[in-house]
Amino acid sequence: MKKIKAFTLAEVLTVLGLLGIIAALTVPFLIQEFNKNKWAVTYQRSFAETFNVLGKIALEEDCAKSLTCTHVFDDGQAASTKKFGDAMARNMAVAQNCRTDEGDCFSHKIKISLAGTQQETLQDTMKDAVAFQTPFYTFKTVRGVSYAVLGFGLECLNEGTEEEQEINKKYIDAYVAGNKTDPANQMLSLCGFIIIDVNGNLGPNVWGRDVFGMWVTDRSALGIYPFGGENDKKFYNKCSYVTEATQDTRGCAAQLIKDGWKMKY
């Protein structure tokens, strides 16, 4: 009878060791790619949902696509933020509403680079350009998506008193790039902004990964304009394609859309 050659114990252990090395090298990459796809898809869905909600807010006041007409942003920053947050929450499936209390509806620590070496608080998100003294209005939906919203309280940068016009000019100078007299410049009619964490407080809480920002504007057909768009002076070109990079990645919201909702960075 012909003898069947079997693997020795040493050979089996060698193969298992090689398989373990391959798994150690590939599994983290596969998990990262899975998460990136999941975050991108959830943000795409949330972007569309936000657009629909802003349309509902306008229709509630019989305003037909005009956010200024709703009078949500007529009052001061604190009052506008509360009215805006209440209107958003009223038109969404909200599981937890922290309003302007700290709460745990939104992580108050966000890393601003893919490398995760820099961190800021939610309240400091835009502080270096125009100071925001008003707490964000935060809530979490039944799908586990966290929202933080803030209204500027400037009637979407319409002309008002001389003092209001001076404040409006500061916002324009801080945030608006491109031709500042061009009617097509969507950043010229800012009402506020929205920050979304697509998986709530689960992490990694990094801009461009699971955290994205969008301006609320009355000049856009959508009513929203992603952080990092061409007319966005503050965040344009702030999205690194190097995972280890330490620069600000808050502009990745626009880059993700530009790349067809594929997280290539």
Side-chain angles (χ1 to χ4, degrees), residues 93-97 104-105 138-142 144-147 200-201:
V94 173
Q96 182 182 5
N97 194 344
D104 60 352
C105 292
T138 62
F139 60 87
K140 187 180 293 184
T141 70
V142 294
V145 179
S146 291
Y147 280 76
N201 301 8

Side-chain angles (χ1 to χ4, degrees), residues 87-219:
M88 287 280 294
R90 186 169 60 248
N91 285 284
M92 302 184 76
V94 173
Q96 182 182 5
N97 194 344
C98 298
R99 296 180 171 81
T100 53
D101 298 329
E102 281 281 320
D104 60 352
C105 292
F106 203 105
S107 173
H108 291 267
K109 297 287 185 180
I110 306 174
K111 299 183 179 97
I112 60 174
S113 71
L114 298 183
T117 57
Q118 298 167 289
Q119 185 167 275
E120 63 176 357
T121 65
L122 178 62
Q123 200 62 37
D124 289 340
T125 299
M126 322 273 268
K127 194 173 182 180
D128 54 326
V130 177
F132 296 112
Q133 304 301 323
T134 302
F136 285 72
Y137 187 112
T138 62
F139 60 87
K140 187 180 293 184
T141 70
V142 294
R143 291 193 293 106
V145 179
S146 291
Y147 280 76
V149 307
L150 190 138
F152 288 162
L154 297 170
E155 296 184 83
C156 298
L157 297 181
N158 285 334
E159 292 186 4
T161 65
E162 186 174 334
E163 182 180 1
E164 288 172 334
Q165 289 182 48
E166 184 62 31
I167 296 173
N168 292 350
K169 186 179 182 301
K170 290 181 180 179
Y171 278 78
I172 295 293
D173 291 343
Y175 300 132
V176 181
N179 187 342
K180 297 179 182 179
T181 61
D182 181 5
N185 190 333
Q186 298 180 37
M187 290 288 288
L188 287 176
S189 186
L190 293 174
C191 304
F193 59 87
I194 300 170
I195 300 172
I196 295 176
D197 189 329
V198 298
N199 59 357
N201 301 8
L202 295 180
N205 299 328
V206 175
W207 284 101
R209 288 296 190 225
D210 57 335
V211 180
F212 303 91
M214 60 185 79
W215 301 99
V216 178
T217 168
D218 206 23
R219 195 160 296 206

Side-chain angles (χ1 to χ4, degrees), residues 23-43:
L25 293 173
T26 59
V27 170
F29 172 78
L30 293 175
I31 292 174
Q32 182 188 51
E33 291 303 303
F34 172 80
N35 284 333
K36 286 166 64 175
N37 182 66
K38 179 177 65 176
W39 296 329
V41 168
T42 306
Y43 176 54

Side-chain angles (χ1 to χ4, degrees), residues 201-248:
N201 301 8
L202 295 180
N205 299 328
V206 175
W207 284 101
R209 288 296 190 225
D210 57 335
V211 180
F212 303 91
M214 60 185 79
W215 301 99
V216 178
T217 168
D218 206 23
R219 195 160 296 206
S220 169
L222 287 172
I224 44 180
Y225 190 77
F227 282 9
E230 290 185 3
N231 295 133
D232 180 359
K233 178 179 179 180
K234 185 168 176 62
F235 300 124
Y236 183 59
N237 276 338
K238 290 188 176 178
C239 185
S240 173
Y241 278 79
V242 182
T243 305
E244 292 78 20
T246 57
Q247 59 259 49
D248 191 337

